[in-house]
């Protein structure tokens, strides 16, 4: 298989080989790290995290932080909100094979260097935004970081078992570390 530059996509059977192309959001004073699995096609198109218009990540986080919800296209406001509250945001995977945005189809996962990011920050807690991100972190990253991750529910439009209030209550767990 040919090595590709960051952000390129290559076809692999019914899946695409995806290379993570969005840099992490963090600062030296970040205290909490939120990790997804991999940017969705809409997020990669937008060039920022949780870009699908029906994803509830930004409204949930804004409610927890008592902030206005940033406009969908305003990635600078989203990053500023994170950094203001000492939150870092990234994904567990640097690359994988995946069919569309279906986390269940992920194969050949390669992790991001989470340990290197942690060494540049004051991160005291890692939270994964969904079961796939949590499972991949525990398997691929925990041995290098030594910092167990806490599981948060997915804010994906596919996860309708969790209502807005339930998501906000679950995400309030990050407040203890800020």
């Amino acid at each position: 298989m040919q090595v590709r530059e960051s952000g390129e996509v290559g076809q692999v059977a019914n899946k695409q080989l995806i290379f993570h192309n969005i840099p992490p959001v963090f600062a030296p004073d970040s205290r909490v790290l939120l990790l997804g699995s991999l940017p969705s096609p809409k997020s990669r198109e937008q060039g920022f995290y949780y870009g699908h218009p029906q994803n509830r990540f930004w409204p949930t986080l804004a409610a927890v932080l008592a902030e206005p919800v940033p406009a969908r296209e305003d990635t600078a406001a989203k990053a500023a909100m994170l950094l203001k509250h000492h939150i870092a945001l990234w994904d567990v995977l640097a690359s994988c094979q995946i069919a569309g945005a279906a986390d269940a189809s992920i194969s050949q996962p390669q992790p991001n260097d989470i340990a290197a990011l942690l060494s540049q920050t004051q991160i005291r807690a890692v939270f994964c935004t969904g079961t796939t991100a949590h499972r991949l972190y525990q398997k691929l990253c925990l041995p290098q970081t030594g910092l167990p991750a806490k599981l948060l529910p997915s804010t994906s439009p596919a996860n309708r078992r969790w209502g807005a209030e339930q998501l906000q209550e679950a995400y309030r767990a990050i407040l203890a570390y800020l």
Side-chain angles (χ1 to χ4, degrees):
M1 182 179 308
Q2 182 179 355
V3 176
R4 300 174 190 275
E5 294 297 317
S6 177
E8 289 188 23
V9 177
Q11 292 292 334
V12 180
N14 65 340
K15 298 180 182 182
Q16 291 183 318
L17 178 60
I18 302 295
F19 290 86
H20 198 296
N21 64 347
I22 303 172
V25 177
F26 73 99
D29 65 350
S30 294
R31 297 180 197 143
V32 166
L33 174 60
L34 299 177
L35 292 170
S37 53
L38 187 79
S40 70
K42 285 285 187 191
S43 295
R44 293 192 305 271
E45 178 183 301
Q46 189 180 81
F48 204 69
Y49 300 93
Y50 301 98
H52 192 286
Q54 294 176 356
N55 192 295
R56 298 170 293 163
F57 179 83
W58 295 109
T60 299
L61 193 59
V64 167
L65 300 173
E67 295 280 350
V69 179
R72 190 171 92 74
E73 301 291 329
D74 194 347
T75 59
K78 291 173 181 177
M81 181 175 72
L82 293 167
L83 296 176
K84 173 183 175 183
H85 292 279
H86 310 286
I87 298 171
L89 182 62
W90 205 13
D91 286 309
V92 173
L93 297 182
S95 68
C96 70
Q97 292 181 16
I98 188 169
D103 278 359
S105 72
I106 290 174
S107 61
Q108 298 186 11
Q110 296 299 313
N112 274 314
D113 192 351
I114 306 296
L117 184 136
L118 294 177
S119 72
Q120 301 173 58
T121 66
Q122 298 173 23
I123 290 171
R124 304 180 291 167
V126 175
F127 292 86
C128 293
T129 62
T131 55
T132 300
H134 188 256
R135 178 180 49 80
L136 291 167
Y137 177 87
Q138 297 295 100
K139 179 181 178 183
L140 302 172
C141 303
L142 179 59
Q144 287 73 39
T145 67
L147 186 59
K150 296 159 184 59
L151 174 62
L152 292 173
S154 172
T155 56
S156 164
N159 180 18
R160 288 298 176 187
R161 292 175 296 187
W162 289 77
E165 295 80 18
Q166 292 172 303
L167 285 173
Q168 291 168 22
E169 184 60 33
Y171 276 68
R172 282 189 187 94
I174 70 172
L175 297 175
Y177 301 93
L178 298 178

